[in-house]
Amino acid sequence: MGRPPCCNKANVKRGPWTPEEDAKILAYVASHGIGNWTLVPQKAGLNRCGKSCRLRWTNYLRPDLKHDNFTPEEEECILELHRTIGSRWSLIAKRLPGRTDNDVKNYWNTKLKKKLMKMGIDPLTHKPFSQIVTEYGMISGFPCTGNKNALLHTSLARAEPYLLIEELSRAKEVNKQMIEKFHSRDHDPFLRNHQWNSMAQFQVVNQENGSSTSSESSSSFVSPMTYSCKRSQIQIAPSSPSEFSEYILGDPFSSMDTDQMSECRTPGLLSSNNDSVARPKLALLENEKDTELPAAAESFVDGILAHDNQMRLGFPNILDEYYDY
DNA sequence: AAAAGCTCCAACCGCCCATAT
DNA sequence: CATATGGGCGGTTGGAGCTTT
Protein backbone atom coordinates (compact mmCIF):
# COMPACT_ATOMS: atom_id res chain seq x y z
CA MET A 1 0.00 0.00 0.00
CA GLY A 2 1.27 3.53 -0.80
CA ARG A 3 4.48 4.58 -2.49
CA PRO A 4 7.76 2.77 -2.13
CA PRO A 5 10.21 4.54 0.24
CA CYS A 6 12.69 6.95 -1.34
CA CYS A 7 15.67 5.57 0.57
CA ASN A 8 16.69 3.34 3.44
CA LYS A 9 16.69 5.95 6.21
CA ALA A 10 18.89 3.86 8.47
CA ASN A 11 21.71 3.47 5.95
CA VAL A 12 21.93 6.96 4.42
CA LYS A 13 24.73 9.31 5.38
CA ARG A 14 23.91 12.34 7.51
CA GLY A 15 25.77 15.41 8.74
CA PRO A 16 28.01 17.87 6.93
CA TRP A 17 28.44 17.57 3.16
CA THR A 18 31.84 17.01 1.60
CA PRO A 19 33.09 18.87 -1.50
CA GLU A 20 32.89 15.58 -3.40
CA GLU A 21 29.22 15.15 -2.56
CA ASP A 22 28.53 18.77 -3.54
CA ALA A 23 30.28 18.18 -6.86
CA LYS A 24 28.11 15.14 -7.55
CA ILE A 25 24.89 17.11 -6.98
CA LEU A 26 26.13 20.01 -9.10
CA ALA A 27 27.11 17.64 -11.90
CA TYR A 28 23.78 15.84 -11.74
CA VAL A 29 21.70 19.03 -11.78
CA ALA A 30 23.83 20.47 -14.61
CA SER A 31 23.10 17.49 -16.83
CA HIS A 32 19.58 16.50 -15.73
CA GLY A 33 18.09 19.63 -14.16
CA ILE A 34 15.85 19.63 -11.10
CA GLY A 35 13.15 16.99 -11.05
CA ASN A 36 12.39 14.12 -8.74
CA TRP A 37 14.70 14.52 -5.76
CA THR A 38 14.15 10.96 -4.60
CA LEU A 39 15.97 9.76 -7.71
CA VAL A 40 18.90 12.15 -7.29
CA PRO A 41 20.93 10.15 -4.71
CA GLN A 42 20.68 6.99 -6.81
CA LYS A 43 21.44 8.65 -10.15
CA ALA A 44 24.15 10.94 -8.78
CA GLY A 45 25.81 8.17 -6.80
CA LEU A 46 25.17 9.62 -3.36
CA ASN A 47 24.39 7.77 -0.15
CA ARG A 48 22.02 10.49 1.01
CA CYS A 49 18.28 10.92 1.44
CA GLY A 50 16.59 12.79 -1.42
CA LYS A 51 15.21 15.28 1.02
CA SER A 52 18.71 15.99 2.28
CA CYS A 53 19.92 16.51 -1.32
CA ARG A 54 17.09 18.94 -2.00
CA LEU A 55 17.93 20.95 1.11
CA ARG A 56 21.64 21.03 0.23
CA TRP A 57 20.82 22.32 -3.25
CA THR A 58 18.17 24.78 -2.13
CA ASN A 59 20.07 26.27 0.79
CA TYR A 60 23.65 26.17 -0.40
CA LEU A 61 24.47 25.00 -3.93
CA ARG A 62 22.00 26.93 -6.08
CA PRO A 63 24.05 29.15 -8.40
CA ASP A 64 21.77 32.15 -7.91
CA LEU A 65 22.38 32.30 -4.16
CA LYS A 66 24.12 35.23 -2.52
CA HIS A 67 26.68 34.22 0.10
CA ASP A 68 27.62 37.74 1.24
CA ASN A 69 26.25 39.74 4.16
CA PHE A 70 22.73 41.13 4.20
CA THR A 71 22.50 44.73 3.04
CA PRO A 72 20.67 47.45 5.03
CA GLU A 73 17.98 47.40 2.32
CA GLU A 74 17.49 43.68 2.74
CA GLU A 75 17.41 44.12 6.51
CA GLU A 76 14.75 46.79 6.21
CA CYS A 77 12.74 44.56 3.90
CA ILE A 78 12.88 41.64 6.34
CA LEU A 79 11.79 43.86 9.23
CA GLU A 80 8.88 45.29 7.29
CA LEU A 81 7.72 41.92 6.01
CA HIS A 82 8.11 40.28 9.40
CA ARG A 83 6.07 43.02 10.99
CA THR A 84 3.41 42.49 8.34
CA ILE A 85 3.22 38.71 7.94
CA GLY A 86 5.28 37.30 10.82
CA SER A 87 7.71 34.42 10.53
CA ARG A 88 6.69 33.28 7.05
CA TRP A 89 10.31 32.88 6.05
CA SER A 90 9.67 31.39 2.66
CA LEU A 91 7.39 34.27 1.68
CA ILE A 92 9.92 36.80 2.96
CA ALA A 93 12.76 35.03 1.13
CA LYS A 94 10.81 35.23 -2.14
CA ARG A 95 11.03 39.02 -1.88
CA LEU A 96 14.83 38.85 -1.51
CA PRO A 97 16.53 37.52 -4.64
CA GLY A 98 19.41 35.19 -3.84
CA ARG A 99 18.31 34.53 -0.27
CA THR A 100 16.73 31.36 1.08
CA ASP A 101 14.19 30.98 3.83
CA ASN A 102 16.94 29.42 5.94
CA ASP A 103 19.19 32.46 5.37
CA VAL A 104 16.45 34.86 6.37
CA LYS A 105 15.46 32.80 9.38
CA ASN A 106 19.06 32.57 10.61
CA TYR A 107 19.65 36.27 10.07
CA TRP A 108 16.50 37.08 12.00
CA ASN A 109 17.32 34.78 14.90
CA THR A 110 20.96 35.79 15.24
CA LYS A 111 20.91 39.50 14.38
CA LEU A 112 17.62 41.27 13.86
CA LYS A 113 15.79 39.87 16.87
CA LYS A 114 18.58 40.97 19.19
CA LYS A 115 18.86 44.32 17.48
CA LEU A 116 15.17 45.05 18.02
CA MET A 117 15.35 44.01 21.66
CA LYS A 118 18.31 46.28 22.25
CA MET A 119 16.21 49.09 20.81
CA GLY A 120 13.47 48.24 23.31
CA ILE A 121 11.17 46.76 20.69
CA ASP A 122 9.41 43.45 21.10
CA PRO A 123 10.49 41.33 18.10
CA LEU A 124 7.23 39.41 18.04
CA THR A 125 4.80 42.32 17.84
CA HIS A 126 7.29 45.03 16.76
CA LYS A 127 5.87 47.19 19.51
CA PRO A 128 7.99 49.13 22.04
CA PHE A 129 8.26 47.42 25.40
CA SER A 130 7.12 50.66 27.04
CA GLN A 131 3.82 50.38 25.17
CA ILE A 132 3.44 46.77 26.19
CA VAL A 133 3.99 47.69 29.84
CA THR A 134 1.32 50.38 29.59
CA GLU A 135 -1.03 47.89 28.00
CA TYR A 136 -0.21 45.34 30.68
CA GLY A 137 -1.20 47.81 33.37
CA MET A 138 -4.47 48.62 31.63
CA ILE A 139 -5.29 45.01 30.88
CA SER A 140 -4.49 43.57 34.31
CA GLY A 141 -6.61 46.08 36.21
CA PHE A 142 -3.61 46.82 38.44
CA PRO A 143 -1.91 49.75 36.78
CA CYS A 144 1.72 50.13 37.74
CA THR A 145 2.30 53.23 39.77
CA GLY A 146 4.96 54.90 41.87
CA ASN A 147 8.22 53.10 42.51
CA LYS A 148 7.21 49.99 40.62
CA ASN A 149 6.48 52.05 37.56
CA ALA A 150 9.77 53.87 37.90
CA LEU A 151 11.63 50.56 38.08
CA LEU A 152 9.92 49.34 34.94
CA HIS A 153 10.79 52.46 33.03
CA THR A 154 14.38 52.28 34.22
CA SER A 155 14.56 48.79 32.75
CA LEU A 156 13.10 50.08 29.51
CA ALA A 157 15.44 53.02 29.32
CA ARG A 158 18.38 50.69 29.77
CA ALA A 159 16.97 48.30 27.19
CA GLU A 160 17.07 45.35 29.56
CA PRO A 161 14.11 43.20 28.62
CA TYR A 162 15.06 40.46 31.06
CA LEU A 163 15.02 42.94 33.94
CA LEU A 164 11.69 44.14 32.71
CA ILE A 165 10.30 40.64 32.73
CA GLU A 166 11.54 40.10 36.26
CA GLU A 167 9.83 43.31 37.35
CA LEU A 168 6.57 42.29 35.77
CA SER A 169 6.82 38.84 37.32
CA ARG A 170 7.25 40.46 40.71
CA ALA A 171 4.27 42.70 40.00
CA LYS A 172 2.25 39.63 39.12
CA GLU A 173 3.29 37.95 42.35
CA VAL A 174 2.14 41.00 44.33
CA ASN A 175 -1.19 40.89 42.51
CA LYS A 176 -1.52 37.20 43.31
CA GLN A 177 -0.82 37.82 46.99
CA MET A 178 -3.43 40.56 47.05
CA ILE A 179 -5.94 38.19 45.54
CA GLU A 180 -5.16 35.44 48.02
CA LYS A 181 -5.38 37.87 50.94
CA PHE A 182 -8.70 39.06 49.67
CA HIS A 183 -10.02 35.57 49.17
CA SER A 184 -9.04 34.45 52.66
CA ARG A 185 -11.18 37.09 54.35
CA ASP A 186 -14.94 37.04 54.82
CA HIS A 187 -16.07 40.00 52.72
CA ASP A 188 -19.29 41.73 51.97
CA PRO A 189 -20.77 39.83 48.94
CA PHE A 190 -21.22 43.03 46.97
CA LEU A 191 -17.66 44.17 47.48
CA ARG A 192 -16.43 40.67 46.76
CA ASN A 193 -18.28 40.52 43.45
CA HIS A 194 -17.06 43.96 42.58
CA GLN A 195 -13.49 42.86 43.17
CA TRP A 196 -13.98 39.68 41.16
CA ASN A 197 -15.16 41.69 38.20
CA SER A 198 -11.69 43.07 37.75
CA MET A 199 -10.21 39.57 38.10
CA ALA A 200 -12.59 37.83 35.76
CA GLN A 201 -10.38 38.16 32.73
CA PHE A 202 -7.86 35.73 34.25
CA GLN A 203 -10.33 32.91 34.68
CA VAL A 204 -10.34 29.84 32.52
CA VAL A 205 -12.79 26.97 32.45
CA ASN A 206 -11.45 23.57 31.64
CA GLN A 207 -14.15 22.51 29.21
CA GLU A 208 -12.53 19.23 28.33
CA ASN A 209 -13.19 17.71 31.74
CA GLY A 210 -15.95 20.02 32.86
CA SER A 211 -14.10 21.16 35.96
CA SER A 212 -13.11 24.68 36.66
CA THR A 213 -9.47 25.65 36.72
CA SER A 214 -7.50 28.83 36.35
CA SER A 215 -4.57 30.26 34.52
CA GLU A 216 -1.16 30.11 36.13
CA SER A 217 -1.24 33.69 37.31
CA SER A 218 -4.24 33.14 39.57
CA SER A 219 -4.06 29.55 40.56
CA SER A 220 -6.09 29.42 43.73
CA PHE A 221 -9.47 31.00 43.11
CA VAL A 222 -12.48 30.88 40.85
CA SER A 223 -14.29 34.02 39.93
CA PRO A 224 -18.07 34.30 39.82
CA MET A 225 -17.51 36.23 36.58
CA THR A 226 -15.57 33.49 34.87
CA TYR A 227 -15.12 33.85 31.13
CA SER A 228 -14.97 30.58 29.29
CA CYS A 229 -12.19 29.34 27.11
CA LYS A 230 -10.65 25.94 26.40
CA ARG A 231 -7.58 24.69 28.25
CA SER A 232 -5.59 24.83 25.01
CA GLN A 233 -6.14 28.59 24.98
CA ILE A 234 -4.47 29.14 28.34
CA GLN A 235 -1.38 31.29 28.08
CA ILE A 236 1.52 29.53 29.77
CA ALA A 237 4.02 31.60 31.70
CA PRO A 238 6.78 32.85 29.45
CA SER A 239 10.22 31.31 29.56
CA SER A 240 11.83 33.68 27.10
CA PRO A 241 11.38 37.29 25.98
CA SER A 242 10.03 36.22 22.61
CA GLU A 243 7.07 34.58 24.28
CA PHE A 244 6.60 37.32 26.78
CA SER A 245 4.65 39.73 24.67
CA GLU A 246 2.36 36.96 23.58
CA TYR A 247 1.69 36.24 27.22
CA ILE A 248 0.88 39.76 28.26
CA LEU A 249 -1.12 40.47 25.16
CA GLY A 250 -3.07 37.30 25.67
CA ASP A 251 -5.34 38.46 28.43
CA PRO A 252 -7.71 40.74 26.51
CA PHE A 253 -8.71 37.82 24.32
CA SER A 254 -9.72 35.48 27.10
CA SER A 255 -13.39 35.81 26.29
CA MET A 256 -13.03 35.16 22.57
CA ASP A 257 -13.64 31.87 20.86
CA THR A 258 -10.82 29.84 19.34
CA ASP A 259 -11.00 31.37 15.88
CA GLN A 260 -11.09 34.90 17.13
CA MET A 261 -8.10 34.29 19.35
CA SER A 262 -5.97 32.73 16.66
CA GLU A 263 -6.88 35.51 14.28
CA CYS A 264 -6.03 38.19 16.80
CA ARG A 265 -2.68 36.59 17.64
CA THR A 266 -1.42 36.54 14.07
CA PRO A 267 1.95 38.32 14.32
CA GLY A 268 1.80 41.78 12.84
CA LEU A 269 -1.95 41.85 12.92
CA LEU A 270 -2.16 43.61 16.25
CA SER A 271 -0.13 46.50 15.00
CA SER A 272 -2.06 46.98 11.81
CA ASN A 273 -5.20 48.65 13.04
CA ASN A 274 -3.90 52.15 12.98
CA ASP A 275 -3.92 53.92 9.65
CA SER A 276 -0.42 55.24 10.05
CA VAL A 277 0.82 51.69 10.34
CA ALA A 278 -1.54 50.09 7.90
CA ARG A 279 -0.82 52.54 5.11
CA PRO A 280 2.80 51.64 4.48
CA LYS A 281 1.80 48.00 4.58
CA LEU A 282 -0.90 48.57 1.99
CA ALA A 283 1.46 50.58 -0.16
CA LEU A 284 3.97 47.76 0.00
CA LEU A 285 1.38 45.21 -0.97
CA GLU A 286 -0.06 47.33 -3.75
CA ASN A 287 3.38 47.71 -5.25
CA GLU A 288 3.88 44.01 -5.04
CA LYS A 289 0.72 43.27 -6.96
CA ASP A 290 2.37 44.86 -9.97
CA THR A 291 5.38 42.63 -9.61
CA GLU A 292 5.33 38.97 -8.91
CA LEU A 293 3.57 38.42 -5.61
CA PRO A 294 2.94 34.69 -5.33
CA ALA A 295 -0.74 33.73 -5.34
CA ALA A 296 -0.46 32.09 -1.93
CA ALA A 297 1.09 35.20 -0.42
CA GLU A 298 -1.54 37.43 -1.95
CA SER A 299 -4.42 35.41 -0.57
CA PHE A 300 -2.75 35.20 2.81
CA VAL A 301 -2.24 38.94 2.95
CA ASP A 302 -5.77 39.55 1.72
CA GLY A 303 -6.91 37.32 4.51
CA ILE A 304 -5.04 39.36 7.07
CA LEU A 305 -6.51 42.61 5.77
CA ALA A 306 -9.99 41.11 5.79
CA HIS A 307 -9.50 39.98 9.38
CA ASP A 308 -8.24 43.45 10.27
CA ASN A 309 -11.48 44.97 9.12
CA GLN A 310 -13.52 42.25 10.78
CA MET A 311 -11.73 42.73 14.08
CA ARG A 312 -12.08 46.47 13.90
CA LEU A 313 -15.83 46.10 13.48
CA GLY A 314 -16.11 43.49 16.20
CA PHE A 315 -13.85 45.03 18.84
CA PRO A 316 -13.51 48.74 18.00
CA ASN A 317 -12.89 49.86 21.58
CA ILE A 318 -10.24 47.28 22.33
CA LEU A 319 -8.38 47.95 19.11
CA ASP A 320 -8.54 51.71 19.24
CA GLU A 321 -7.57 51.88 22.86
CA TYR A 322 -4.85 49.29 23.12
CA TYR A 323 -3.28 48.64 19.78
CA ASP A 324 -2.62 52.01 18.27
CA TYR A 325 0.88 53.33 18.09
C1' DA B 1 47.62 29.81 27.38
C1' DA B 2 43.49 27.66 28.50
C1' DA B 3 38.83 27.30 29.86
C1' DA B 4 34.29 29.11 29.54
C1' DG B 5 30.91 31.44 27.16
C1' DC B 6 28.95 33.21 22.96
C1' DT B 7 27.69 33.56 18.00
C1' DC B 8 26.49 31.80 13.82
C1' DC B 9 24.61 28.78 10.46
C1' DA B 10 24.22 24.25 8.07
C1' DA B 11 21.62 20.51 8.76
C1' DC B 12 18.11 18.08 10.80
C1' DC B 13 13.36 17.31 12.81
C1' DG B 14 8.64 17.05 12.66
C1' DC B 15 4.45 18.68 10.93
C1' DC B 16 1.15 19.53 7.14
C1' DC B 17 -0.93 19.04 2.71
C1' DA B 18 -0.83 17.06 -1.91
C1' DT B 19 -0.36 13.08 -4.43
C1' DA B 20 0.79 8.34 -5.90
C1' DT B 21 -0.34 3.62 -5.34
C1' DC C 1 -10.93 4.85 0.21
C1' DA C 2 -6.77 3.98 2.93
C1' DT C 3 -2.15 4.45 3.37
C1' DA C 4 2.43 5.96 2.71
C1' DT C 5 5.69 9.18 0.56
C1' DG C 6 7.11 13.75 -1.57
C1' DG C 7 7.75 18.33 -1.06
C1' DG C 8 7.50 22.52 1.50
C1' DC C 9 7.74 24.85 5.63
C1' DG C 10 8.97 26.72 10.38
C1' DG C 11 11.41 25.43 14.53
C1' DT C 12 15.44 23.55 16.70
C1' DT C 13 20.08 21.85 17.38
C1' DG C 14 25.14 20.60 17.08
C1' DG C 15 29.40 22.06 16.58
C1' DA C 16 32.98 25.04 14.57
C1' DG C 17 34.96 29.32 15.20
C1' DC C 18 35.39 33.45 17.79
C1' DT C 19 35.57 36.30 22.06
C1' DT C 20 35.99 36.99 26.84
C1' DT C 21 37.70 35.92 31.34
Side-chain angles (χ1 to χ4, degrees):
Chain A
M1 195 64 82
R3 296 179 184 179
C6 71
C7 61
N8 185 342
K9 306 280 181 198
N11 293 334
V12 293
K13 188 184 169 192
R14 294 167 62 185
W17 283 68
T18 64
E20 290 75 25
E21 288 176 313
D22 285 346
K24 283 180 181 176
I25 290 209
L26 286 168
Y28 176 83
V29 173
S31 59
H32 297 85
I34 300 166
N36 187 346
W37 282 106
T38 59
L39 297 174
V40 171
Q42 189 190 343
K43 293 192 174 180
L46 285 160
N47 186 27
R48 292 270 186 178
C49 176
K51 192 171 179 173
S52 184
C53 294
R54 179 173 57 81
L55 279 175
R56 181 63 179 171
W57 170 262
T58 307
N59 290 335
Y60 195 77
L61 296 175
R62 263 167 46 196
D64 61 320
L65 291 181
K66 286 183 197 169
H67 294 285
D68 48 351
N69 291 337
F70 279 77
T71 65
E73 290 74 26
E74 286 176 317
E75 190 176 303
E76 183 62 33
C77 185
I78 294 170
L79 285 169
E80 177 61 28
L81 286 169
H82 187 274
R83 190 172 64 78
T84 308
I85 63 173
S87 55
R88 306 279 170 147
W89 306 120
S90 59
L91 287 179
I92 294 172
K94 279 172 188 162
R95 315 305 302 162
L96 298 168
R99 304 295 187 187
T100 68
D101 56 348
N102 214 31
D103 286 338
V104 176
K105 183 168 57 183
N106 282 334
Y107 189 65
W108 173 265
N109 285 330
T110 58
K111 301 273 178 62
L112 292 182
K113 204 157 88 174
K114 291 171 189 169
K115 199 170 176 180
L116 284 177
M117 289 181 74
K118 271 193 175 178
M119 291 163 66
I121 295 170
D122 174 42
L124 200 67
T125 60
H126 293 251
K127 296 163 85 172
F129 284 120
S130 56
Q131 186 192 353
I132 291 173
V133 171
T134 306
E135 287 167 2
Y136 178 74
M138 295 167 82
I139 291 164
S140 68
F142 292 94
C144 301
T145 55
N147 292 341
K148 191 61 73 176
N149 209 25
L151 266 172
L152 289 172
H153 284 285
T154 304
S155 298
L156 290 168
R158 289 154 64 186
E160 293 171 337
Y162 291 96
L163 252 179
L164 168 64
I165 289 158
E166 280 174 23
E167 283 305 328
L168 284 172
S169 298
R170 271 198 285 276
K172 266 180 64 183
E173 189 54 38
V174 169
N175 288 349
K176 190 180 165 185
Q177 285 166 9
M178 286 170 64
I179 290 160
E180 283 166 355
K181 239 184 203 171
F182 190 92
H183 191 48
S184 67
R185 286 159 55 185
D186 191 17
H187 283 277
D188 178 288
F190 171 80
L191 290 174
R192 184 169 170 144
N193 277 337
H194 180 75
Q195 175 74 6
W196 283 126
N197 283 343
S198 65
M199 294 293 152
Q201 60 187 321
F202 292 114
Q203 303 304 306
V204 172
V205 168
N206 185 344
Q207 293 180 335
E208 277 94 338
N209 61 18
S211 67
S212 184
T213 183
S214 59
S215 64
E216 59 82 36
S217 64
S218 50
S219 58
S220 61
F221 60 90
V222 178
S223 161
M225 291 292 287
T226 295
Y227 293 167
S228 296
C229 75
K230 293 177 183 173
R231 190 172 187 79
S232 57
Q233 294 168 338
I234 298 170
Q235 292 294 297
I236 305 301
S239 59
S240 71
S242 66
E243 296 165 348
F244 174 71
S245 59
E246 194 177 342
Y247 158 67
I248 58 177
L249 291 173
D251 287 337
F253 308 120
S254 61
S255 60
M256 296 179 183
D257 64 28
T258 311
D259 288 340
Q260 285 170 327
M261 287 179 82
S262 61
E263 285 162 15
C264 293
R265 289 198 173 115
T266 303
L269 186 58
L270 293 176
S271 63
S272 63
N273 294 289
N274 179 299
D275 286 345
S276 63
V277 176
R279 233 177 262 130
K281 184 175 83 176
L282 286 168
L284 172 77
L285 297 170
E286 278 164 9
N287 288 339
E288 287 180 348
K289 281 184 179 174
D290 293 331
T291 58
E292 46 177 44
L293 184 65
E298 196 170 356
S299 59
F300 174 73
V301 167
D302 287 345
I304 289 176
L305 294 174
H307 288 320
D308 271 3
N309 291 331
Q310 213 177 332
M311 277 181 62
R312 202 176 178 80
L313 288 172
F315 309 97
N317 296 335
I318 290 175
L319 297 177
D320 289 344
E321 192 173 356
Y322 293 152
Y323 301 113
D324 284 352
Y325 278 107

